[in-house]
Amino acid sequence: REFAIALAESGHRVAGLDLADMSGTAERIGGARFLPVRADVTDPEEVAAAVEETAARFGGLQIVVNNAGIYPPLPFEKTTLETWRRIMRVNLDGPFLVTHAALPYMKAAGWGRVVNIVSAVVFLGPPDLVAYTTSKAGLVGFTRALSSAVGAYGITVNAISPGLTRTETAARTTGADGGFERVRGLQAVPTVEEPADLVSTLLYVCDEGSGFLTGQTINVDGGSAKH
């Protein structure tokens, strides 16, 4: 929601692809600048239809922010193959499908920005997030390789790596039972990360003037991982 609002306030028209209710986001932004599209990012047909609808509504598509992700904390020994595959489908297949569908529109425009939201766990390796960490490390690799493939078209691909951020989902999972406080103790900046703390980095990598920045992972976690 914070990303969508920030992009809209900076002048972009924004579509949200989600399974969740986006009425609150639509109210904050306004109907003319925000298009809610119900879509499962792991479903190729739904993604293709959502991207096509977005491009038709806005006359093109130039920025993709791959932010959908799941991170159930659980011991590795209790991680089933089904759970492992579900995490990979959302966290890796999702960015692949959305970016793949959006790429022709970016090429047609002659410029584009792909922003993948990864995680500081890639650099920290917490023991209860083996599957999640693996998926986000894969997304870092996706960022690096794809940037080489599309740079000639004026398209950049970068990743933003947040720490544990205070969202509704985090409060129910990793942040519960003192999780925010434990992570805060690892940081150089001793406050809990909020979604607003990531907005300036998002706008920076999306800016048309950032065309020489690509293939990078920018760690924004208060200094818990010195990357």
Side-chain angles (χ1 to χ4, degrees), residues 115-165:
V115 185
N116 299 315
I117 306 304
V118 297
S119 173
V121 299
V122 169
F123 313 111
L124 298 170
D128 59 342
L129 291 170
V130 174
Y132 176 71
T133 301
T134 302
S135 70
K136 291 299 185 178
L139 197 52
V140 170
F142 176 73
T143 299
R144 293 173 178 173
L146 185 62
S147 70
S148 300
V150 300
Y153 301 98
I155 301 167
T156 67
V157 188
N158 291 289
I160 299 174
S161 170
L164 180 58
T165 306

Side-chain angles (χ1 to χ4, degrees), residues 15-32:
L17 276 62
D18 207 332
L19 289 173
D21 177 28
M22 291 177 278
S23 57
T25 307
E27 290 172 6
R28 292 275 301 276
I29 296 176

Side-chain angles (χ1 to χ4, degrees), residues 2-220:
E2 293 300 320
F3 283 176
I5 292 169
L7 287 167
E9 288 180 345
S10 67
H12 298 285
R13 289 175 294 174
V14 181
L17 276 62
D18 207 332
L19 289 173
D21 177 28
M22 291 177 278
S23 57
T25 307
E27 290 172 6
R28 292 275 301 276
I29 296 176
R33 303 203 69 84
F34 182 71
L35 173 67
V37 183
R38 182 176 174 81
D40 181 345
V41 297
T42 69
D43 186 310
E45 293 183 0
E46 289 190 15
V47 168
V51 169
E52 184 178 355
E53 179 182 352
T54 299
R57 170 76 172 270
F58 294 154
L61 195 160
Q62 289 148 318
I63 296 173
V64 167
V65 181
N66 288 308
N67 191 42
I70 54 174
Y71 51 98
L74 72 169
F76 178 69
E77 291 83 355
K78 294 184 178 180
T79 303
T80 65
L81 182 58
E82 180 181 358
T83 299
W84 175 276
R85 286 175 172 167
R86 178 169 176 262
I87 292 170
M88 299 303 161
R89 282 198 304 273
V90 176
N91 296 358
L92 274 177
D93 292 2
F96 165 77
L97 291 171
V98 174
T99 306
H100 196 272
L103 202 56
Y105 298 101
M106 295 182 180
K107 286 183 176 181
W111 83 277
R113 301 287 182 264
V114 178
V115 185
N116 299 315
I117 306 304
V118 297
S119 173
V121 299
V122 169
F123 313 111
L124 298 170
D128 59 342
L129 291 170
V130 174
Y132 176 71
T133 301
T134 302
S135 70
K136 291 299 185 178
L139 197 52
V140 170
F142 176 73
T143 299
R144 293 173 178 173
L146 185 62
S147 70
S148 300
V150 300
Y153 301 98
I155 301 167
T156 67
V157 188
N158 291 289
I160 299 174
S161 170
L164 180 58
T165 306
R166 198 197 308 270
T167 63
E168 292 177 7
T169 302
R172 293 194 307 268
T173 55
T174 310
D177 299 322
F180 287 119
E181 289 71 25
R182 287 193 298 273
V183 171
R184 186 175 61 193
L186 300 173
Q187 298 171 184
V189 180
T191 58
V192 175
E193 188 164 15
E194 304 287 346
D197 294 320
L198 299 160
V199 164
S200 63
T201 306
L202 174 73
L203 296 179
Y204 167 55
V205 298
C206 288
D207 193 89
E208 286 193 57
S210 296
F212 221 60
L213 174 72
T214 195
Q216 305 305 308
T217 298
I218 303 174
N219 199 45
V220 188

